[in-house]
Each structure stands twice: as C-alpha cells, then as structure tokens.
Amino acid sequence: MGILSRASYVVRSKLNALVSSQEDPSETLDYSYEKMRDELQDVKQGIADLTTQKKRLEIQKRRLEENVEKHNQQAREAVQAGRDDLARKALEKKKEKMTQIEDLETQIADLQNTQDRLVEKKDELQDRIERFKTEKETMKARYEAAEASARVSEAMSGVGDEMDETARAIERSRERTEEMEARAEAMDELQDSGAFDDALSDEDDIDKELREMRSSSEVEAELETLKTEAGRGSTEAVETDGATGDEPNDDEVATELADLKKGAEGEAESESEEDSN
C-alpha cells in the first residue's frame, strides 16, 4: 500500500468515525427502511415492465396465429381454384408465421420465468421489509428509552453537582454571617470602651486627666454645697485648710501643684457660694 493509499484510508476512517459519532440510530433505521421500500418499488416496476413486454409479445403471437389461419384459408381456396402456386405461396407464409410464433412462445416463456422469479423475490423482499419494519420500531423504542434513561441519569448527576455547589454556597454564607456577627460584637465592645472616642478626640493624656479632675472638682463642689446646706461645711473646710497648710513640700513642682489645687478649691467654693445665693 502506497503513501497516498494509506493517507486516503486514514482519511476515510476518520470521516466514518465522525459520521458514526454524529449518527442518529432512529434516522438511520428510517433511512434503511425507506431505501428497502424504494428497492421493492423498483422490483414492482420491473415486474410491471416485464409483464407489459410479455403482454405485447402475446398480442403479437395472437396476430400471427390469426395470419396462420388466414394463410390456411388462402391455401384451401387456391387449391379449389386449381392454383397450386398460390396455395404453395400461402403455405410458405403460413410456415413463416408458425416459425415466428414458436420464437415468440420461447420469448414469452422466458419472460414468464423471469417474471415468476421477480415475483418471488418481490414477495421475499416484502416479507423482509415487514420484518425490518417491526424490528425498526422495536429498535427505535429501545433507543429512545435508552436515550431518555441517559438524559435522566445526566439530569440526576447535574442535580447532584448543583446540590453540592448549593451546600458549599450555604456554608460560605454561614461563615461570612458568623464573621460579620463577630465583627459587629467587636465594634460594639470598642464603642462601649470608648476606644472610638479616644481615636476621634484631639485630647492627649494630660488633657484627659485634667478633664477628669474638673469633673471630679464639680462633684466635690456639689458635695460641699450639700454639706453647707446641712450645716457641716465650715468645720470640715477649716480642718482641711489646716491640714493642707501643715504639709511641708520643698519641691517646686509640688508647691506649684499645691497652689493650683488651692486655686481650684477656691474657685469651687466661690461657685458653691454663688449657687447658694
């Protein structure tokens, strides 16, 4: 086998494989059935043509037989008239017609034999077509059932994959929800602790401590006001001043701090007196 022959064989094999992969068995069976019906129709047409030809020969034979009878009558009349020459001529034509009739009979017999064989083949082919039709419908039903089963299996497989993907999506949603809930709780905790206030405020540690001291001083001032209203404020104030005056402190920072404290207490007392008035 040459290179071109091998290449042609490979190409044909590939094409046949491609056609087979794309082939629909139902369409193939229907095509085969229609092709067999066409062949049966061709056989019937052949039988009809053969029968027509046989009938034409039979008609021709009957005409020759009529001529034979005519030549017989001519020979009798010629003999009665004493014309042996005419009688001989009529008999010669009769013999010629008889020879043609024999040839036609042979041809008609051959056509009849051929017709009989074609009829037998036609009947056999028709039986095969009927059997093939039944088998074709059975095969088509089996193929459609198998195709439906395959589609159901593929659908079930697809549903399984989809359910797995859905389960994974639910799990991811659950994880993200838990993460967001934890984040919200952390934000609430930071809000309650004041971390956001510290982050947004411009105060440093000293400003914060001073603010807390002022708040404490306001509370103490209000407490002194309540004590004064109850008649206890003067005695405790004197004792507090005496205790403060007796404390020695040589440190300049401590002295300045004490002065600031006294000033703050004085302001607090002044505010208390104003509130009392």
Side-chain angles (χ1 to χ4, degrees):
M1 182 181 291
I3 296 176
L4 294 178
S5 299
R6 287 197 296 270
S8 177
Y9 176 78
V10 171
V11 171
R12 289 198 303 271
S13 300
K14 296 293 184 181
L15 289 176
N16 291 334
L18 179 61
V19 171
S20 298
S21 63
Q22 301 296 328
E23 189 177 73
D24 185 352
S26 297
E27 295 180 357
T28 303
L29 291 172
D30 289 337
Y31 174 76
S32 299
Y33 176 71
E34 293 300 327
K35 188 175 181 180
M36 293 177 68
R37 285 174 57 87
D38 291 340
E39 292 176 355
L40 177 62
Q41 188 64 32
D42 291 339
V43 172
K44 289 181 178 180
Q45 185 63 42
I47 293 174
D49 294 340
L50 187 63
T51 302
T52 301
Q53 183 66 24
K54 187 185 71 172
K55 292 297 183 183
R56 186 179 294 112
L57 294 178
E58 289 176 351
I59 293 172
Q60 188 176 358
K61 175 187 173 184
R62 284 197 298 269
R63 289 177 180 176
L64 290 173
E65 289 174 346
E66 292 174 356
N67 288 332
V68 168
E69 184 61 29
K70 176 181 177 181
H71 292 319
N72 280 332
Q73 185 64 29
Q74 290 174 344
R76 292 190 189 95
E77 291 180 358
V79 170
Q80 291 176 359
R83 295 288 307 269
D84 293 343
D85 56 334
L86 291 177
R88 186 179 293 106
K89 188 175 181 179
L91 292 174
E92 289 175 353
K93 289 184 177 180
K94 172 186 175 182
K95 186 177 180 180
E96 182 181 350
K97 297 298 188 299
M98 291 294 295
T99 302
Q100 293 178 5
I101 289 174
E102 291 177 357
D103 293 338
L104 288 176
E105 287 178 346
T106 302
Q107 295 179 24
I108 291 172
D110 292 339
L111 290 176
Q112 183 64 48
N113 292 332
T114 303
Q115 180 179 345
D116 292 340
R117 289 195 301 271
L118 288 177
V119 170
E120 291 178 0
K121 290 183 178 180
K122 186 264 297 181
D123 294 338
E124 181 181 356
L125 180 59
Q126 193 163 3
D127 291 340
R128 288 179 58 189
I129 290 174
E130 292 299 326
R131 291 195 302 271
F132 181 78
K133 180 181 179 181
T134 302
E135 185 176 0
K136 173 180 74 72
E137 297 300 326
T138 302
M139 290 298 296
K140 286 177 64 176
R142 289 178 58 189
Y143 175 77
E144 291 174 359
E147 187 179 25
S149 178
R151 286 199 299 268
V152 170
S153 299
E154 291 175 358
M156 292 298 295
S157 176
V159 169
D161 295 340
E162 184 176 353
M163 290 301 294
D164 292 340
E165 182 63 27
T166 301
R168 288 192 292 269
I170 292 174
E171 183 64 24
R172 289 194 298 269
S173 299
R174 183 182 294 111
E175 291 176 356
R176 293 190 62 183
T177 300
E178 292 175 354
E179 181 181 353
M180 291 302 295
E181 289 175 350
R183 183 175 180 182
E185 292 178 0
M187 296 294 284
D188 291 340
E189 184 176 347
L190 291 173
Q191 181 69 31
D192 294 339
S193 66
F196 289 155
D197 294 339
D198 293 342
L200 297 175
S201 176
D202 293 334
E203 293 181 345
D204 56 12
D205 294 340
I206 297 175
D207 291 333
K208 182 178 179 182
E209 187 172 353
L210 291 174
R211 178 172 54 79
E212 292 176 353
M213 289 175 58
R214 285 194 297 272
S215 177
S216 178
S217 298
E218 292 175 359
V219 173
E220 292 296 331
E222 187 176 358
L223 180 59
E224 288 297 331
T225 300
L226 294 175
K227 288 181 179 180
T228 301
E229 291 177 355
R232 295 171 51 194
S234 59
T235 303
E236 292 181 357
V238 172
E239 292 177 355
T240 302
D241 292 340
T244 304
D246 293 339
E247 293 179 356
N249 192 343
D250 294 336
D251 192 355
E252 294 179 358
V253 177
T255 301
E256 185 177 357
L257 180 60
D259 293 340
L260 291 173
K261 184 176 180 180
K262 287 180 181 181
E265 290 178 352
E267 291 177 0
E269 290 177 359
S270 298
E271 290 177 358
S272 298
E273 291 178 357
E274 291 178 359
D275 291 338
S276 298
N277 295 330

